[in-house]
Amino acid sequence: MGYQIRQVRPEEWRQNRELRLVALKDPVSSVAFVRTYDEEAAFPDEVWRRRTSGAGVQQFVAVDEEDGMWVGTLSVIVEFDDYLCIAGVYLRPEVRGTGLAGRLFAAGLEWTWERADRVQLWVHERNPRAEGFYRRVGFVRTGKTMAFPLDESQTEYEMALARS
């Protein structure tokens, strides 16, 4: 089974919404995302259209070439000219551990290196699987932390990767 990794197009906001809502129902979402299913399910269509517009963010998707199902996603948010942040990383459970996350990161990093020499991301203290993957890609903790927005008693760690 093959997967195409590509940028999300503006007209694909409905597919984007569907995968994001699936992600927010996944048990890992409690330590992976800073919004809840109920919050995002209530978003009007305009929010979803804006997310796929390419304004301030570039989203990548892994699409099953056989049936067209979206199975993974990753976004690169341009917060400032020199601060790009990877966010919204998600793979459906059936494709985890297949190497697809590495392919999504490769696409996101290729796009990033055309714009910046460094990229950041945040990882929850109780998400060791994600942090382990990020370390394998080359990310390291920067020493910066922040309170997790959904529960300020929990911590998120900033990790960064510089272009070699």
Side-chain angles (χ1 to χ4, degrees), residues 72-145:
T73 187
L74 171 148
S75 295
V76 182
I77 300 169
V78 181
E79 295 195 20
F80 307 104
D81 288 338
D82 61 346
Y83 190 92
L84 276 67
C85 187
I86 291 177
V89 179
Y90 179 73
L91 290 172
R92 292 181 187 264
E94 62 269 22
V95 298
R96 293 177 190 156
T98 64
L100 203 50
R103 292 179 56 202
L104 272 169
F105 264 79
L109 291 172
E110 181 180 341
W111 186 87
T112 297
W113 299 149
E114 294 172 6
R115 290 152 183 81
D117 292 324
R118 178 179 159 101
V119 64
Q120 285 76 221
L121 56 78
W122 292 88
V123 64
H124 191 281
E125 65 185 343
R126 292 192 339 238
N127 199 348
R129 180 178 177 144
E131 184 170 359
F133 171 78
Y134 301 149
R135 286 184 185 281
R136 286 190 299 281
V137 172
F139 284 83
V140 296
R141 285 190 186 182
T142 65
K144 292 182 183 176
T145 63

Side-chain angles (χ1 to χ4, degrees), residues 23-88:
L24 291 168
K25 282 187 174 181
D26 191 304
V28 302
S29 72
S30 66
V31 295
F33 304 113
V34 298
R35 290 205 170 106
T36 66
Y37 174 87
D38 289 339
E39 181 181 5
E40 292 203 17
F43 283 170
D45 291 351
E46 183 53 37
V47 170
W48 299 102
R49 285 186 181 102
R50 191 171 42 251
R51 283 186 173 184
T52 60
S53 71
V57 62
Q58 183 56 65
Q59 188 173 6
F60 296 85
V61 65
V63 181
D64 185 318
E65 292 176 337
E66 193 171 299
D67 62 13
M69 177 182 273
W70 285 26
V71 298
T73 187
L74 171 148
S75 295
V76 182
I77 300 169
V78 181
E79 295 195 20
F80 307 104
D81 288 338
D82 61 346
Y83 190 92
L84 276 67
C85 187
I86 291 177

